[in-house]
Amino acid sequence: QVQLVESGGGSVQAGGSLRLSCAASGPTYSTYCMGWFRQAPGKEREGVATFDRDGSTDYADSAKGRFTISQDNAKNTLYLQMNSLKPEDTAMYYCAAAPGVSCYFTKYAGLGTYQYWGQGTQVTVSS
């Protein structure tokens, strides 16, 4: 069983930055697709960024150029650096893991591919 715990959320003014962390316990990240997702009130959960088993990354159009996903294998921690935050970034942010598959696969298979989810960390961006 994999446990994921997010941290680093908070309140920030538009244009500010936050770095989210996802600490994982259990099997190594190296065999998983890891992703960050977010869900705003009244909206469906959406993908923000992924970090694949081979180290490749992918971003939602809304995140490109502003967010950076990275992974520290030694610490078993996934990060999401968020810069130039906008009010529309306000959401609960979740870390998730899809064991045994590439993120390329999850992109087409959908959210159900992610077997493990954290409890979320709230990000609020004020204007």
Side-chain angles (χ1 to χ4, degrees):
Q1 183 73 25
V2 173
Q3 183 178 15
L4 304 174
V5 180
E6 303 96 336
S7 63
S11 297
V12 65
Q13 290 185 313
S17 299
L18 287 172
R19 189 176 78 159
L20 307 183
S21 298
C22 172
S25 62
T28 179
Y29 278 166
S30 64
T31 62
Y32 300 172
C33 165
M34 301 296 298
W36 284 100
F37 298 80
R38 67 186 182 188
Q39 187 168 21
K43 295 185 177 181
E44 294 185 349
R45 189 167 299 186
E46 62 177 353
V48 177
T50 58
F51 192 100
D52 214 339
R53 298 179 296 177
D54 63 357
S56 62
T57 59
D58 194 26
Y59 298 89
D61 288 342
S62 61
K64 290 179 180 177
R66 300 189 299 123
F67 294 3
T68 303
I69 188 170
S70 61
Q71 184 172 291
D72 186 332
N73 291 329
K75 296 182 178 180
N76 238 28
T77 301
L78 185 75
Y79 301 98
L80 183 67
Q81 178 67 46
M82 304 187 295
N83 298 324
S84 301
L85 284 163
K86 305 174 181 179
E88 50 263 45
D89 295 318
T90 296
M92 184 71 75
Y93 282 72
Y94 299 90
C95 175
V101 298
S102 69
C103 293
Y104 178 84
F105 176 80
T106 67
K107 184 176 181 179
Y108 299 97
L111 297 181
T113 313
Y114 292 87
Q115 186 173 348
Y116 304 104
W117 294 83
Q119 293 298 304
T121 184
Q122 179 67 40
V123 171
T124 302
V125 184
S126 62
S127 59

